Amino acid sequence: MASHSTSPRRGRRGRLLALAIGLAASSVLLGACASGGGSPAASGEAASYGDISVQYSWIKNEEFAGEFYAYDKGYYDDAGFSEVTGVAGPDTGVAKLLSGSVQVALSDAASVGAAVAEQDAPLKIIGTTFQKNPFTILSLQNGGNIETPEDLIGKKIGVQDSNASVFKALLAANGIDESELTIVPVDFDPTPLINGEVDGFMAYLTNEAITVELSGYPVTNLAYAENGLPYVAETFTVTDQYLAENKDLLKAFLIAEIKGWTDVFQAGTTDTVDVVVKHYNDSAAAGDMTFGDLDPEKTAKAIEAEKLLISTDETQENGLFTISDDLQKQTLASLKASGWDLKASQLFDTSIIDEIYKEQPELKDYLP
């Protein structure tokens, strides 16, 4: 049965990026041969793709509910994998992809786009879970109350070191210079915001924003997706070489993922919370970074918030993980406003996901 394991921390843009890219020519080749190199089945035989490793962008919480269903329902097994190792974040996965230590990364367009634009990293986004950018600048209504990008000026904004490049992208997209505000290094715990140490806090709409609100503090969200950065996130990202050499494997993997995320939409929220809590506790027992016990109420709200980022008019028509031409253009425009000028062909390759739905259109029906 396909299993999953974990490893600690993430940076939304790895500090070892430059070194990893410098080693890319040799390490990607080794990584492509090291695992996941199975071949599609001959006629009448079951496929056998062996082992692959998938880097998660964050700790094992509701953000990966679809992956958890894929484990529990045996979708990875059915797809032909002997083991799918889910590596707990936080981590963009960029450096690990380039070193060959993981084969797939759940990342984001800014981290991947920056690596491609600045270092010519051989990476491609082949699908996306979130159609909308989940980042926000979180503030308290009776505090900073940051409603517009202009409200950032003169404020103290808490930004995690690993998210610094994405925050700078927000500033650039809105014509704000870093000198016009104060960036305060913080961790992922929003306590500095609650204590008034910062006026705003870089957060996820599906995570810290809910945590603070459930703590009794009315909040204001400056959503990145509505303020110049509507790019895709939780992107399925691979190296160019791995994509070229493992299309059947990736096709099987994405089908298993589609089935897992379909279960998120078709199962009751309470059932999904139970699944998430189980995997989160397993991750904690393995020694990965966690944030105490999961609050079922908060987890349920986060799952419902995620659904709004995943299920859009486009995915309802085209299927989960698809990236329409229009969404690609919006993403590229977001990156260009941040200083990264790319063409769609440099960042995206949706041929596999498109082929899946052409061959199995019934997989589009993820809503109950």
Side-chain angles (χ1 to χ4, degrees):
M1 178 178 179
S3 63
H4 66 292
S5 61
T6 55
S7 76
R9 308 195 58 92
R10 115 175 126 169
R12 290 210 182 255
R13 190 172 166 206
R15 292 184 176 182
L16 298 179
L17 176 60
L19 176 60
I21 292 171
L23 298 174
S26 59
S27 59
V28 170
L29 175 60
L30 291 173
C33 299
S35 62
S39 58
S43 178
E45 297 179 2
S48 179
Y49 295 114
D51 304 347
I52 64 169
S53 294
V54 182
Q55 178 64 57
Y56 292 175
S57 63
W58 187 231
I59 63 174
K60 290 192 173 180
N61 65 0
E62 62 278 348
E63 222 169 295
F64 310 101
E67 283 71 32
F68 301 155
Y69 273 119
Y71 285 118
D72 292 355
K73 295 292 188 68
Y75 298 142
Y76 292 136
D77 301 318
D78 295 342
F81 296 100
S82 56
E83 183 173 10
V84 175
T85 301
V87 184
D91 199 313
T92 64
V94 169
K96 290 182 179 178
L97 285 171
L98 295 172
S99 70
S101 59
V102 301
Q103 288 70 55
V104 181
L106 294 172
S107 191
D108 67 89
S111 297
V112 178
V116 174
E118 295 178 1
Q119 305 289 346
D120 198 25
L123 300 173
K124 287 292 184 298
I125 293 171
I126 61 173
T128 190
T129 309
F130 289 170
Q131 296 277 304
K132 299 178 182 179
N133 185 347
F135 275 118
T136 183
I137 296 300
L138 177 66
S139 60
L140 304 182
Q141 287 185 10
N142 63 353
N145 196 34
I146 299 169
E147 299 180 305
T148 69
E150 290 72 25
D151 291 338
L152 292 167
I153 297 173
K155 299 292 198 306
K156 294 180 180 179
I157 308 300
V159 180
Q160 302 80 12
D161 179 65
S162 56
N163 290 333
S165 63
V166 182
F167 179 65
K168 291 178 181 179
L170 177 69
L171 297 181
N174 289 280
I176 299 173
D177 192 88
E178 289 182 52
S179 63
E180 296 181 84
L181 51 90
T182 302
I183 298 175
V184 180
V186 295
D187 290 321
F188 295 98
D189 183 348
T191 299
L193 176 68
I194 294 173
N195 290 344
E197 299 168 34
V198 295
D199 302 302
F201 184 89
M202 189 162 173
Y204 250 36
L205 290 166
T206 60
N207 195 343
E208 297 91 349
I210 297 173
T211 298
V212 174
E213 193 166 30
L214 285 176
S215 298
Y217 299 90
V219 302
T220 299
N221 280 294
L222 181 70
Y224 280 45
E226 298 170 7
N227 290 279
L229 293 178
Y231 62 71
V232 293
E234 295 300 346
T235 58
F236 293 95
T237 306
V238 298
T239 65
D240 291 348
Q241 182 173 347
Y242 196 78
L243 173 60
E245 296 178 353
N246 296 278
K247 289 187 176 181
D248 289 314
L249 178 155
L250 290 169
K251 183 177 179 180
F253 174 75
L254 287 174
I255 290 173
E257 290 278 332
I258 290 168
K259 291 177 178 179
W261 277 101
T262 295
D263 282 350
V264 173
F265 283 88
Q266 296 189 347
T269 299
T270 300
D271 291 339
T272 301
V273 169
D274 290 341
V275 170
V276 170
V277 170
K278 170 185 175 292
H279 285 266
Y280 178 89
N281 289 341
D282 288 347
S283 182
D288 298 305
M289 185 180 75
T290 56
F291 294 102
D293 294 335
L294 283 188
D295 177 359
E297 180 184 8
K298 186 250 180 177
T299 301
K301 286 181 175 293
I303 290 168
E304 293 305 310
E306 283 181 355
K307 290 179 180 179
L308 298 177
L309 299 174
I310 296 168
S311 182
T312 64
D313 290 343
E314 289 185 356
T315 51
Q316 289 172 28
E317 179 179 353
N318 303 322
L320 294 172
F321 308 157
T322 55
I323 312 174
S324 68
D325 290 344
D326 186 56
L327 186 55
Q328 290 183 37
K329 290 177 182 177
Q330 290 180 42
T331 297
L332 294 170
S334 298
L335 298 181
K336 185 174 182 179
S338 305
W340 303 311
D341 194 0
L342 294 167
K343 297 178 181 179
S345 60
Q346 292 176 282
L347 189 61
F348 298 105
D349 187 328
T350 62
S351 58
I352 294 176
I353 198 72
D354 294 340
E355 183 178 314
I356 288 172
Y357 287 116
K358 183 178 180 179
E359 295 177 354
Q360 301 184 54
E362 69 277 6
L363 291 175
K364 294 180 182 180
D365 300 328
Y366 63 90
L367 293 176

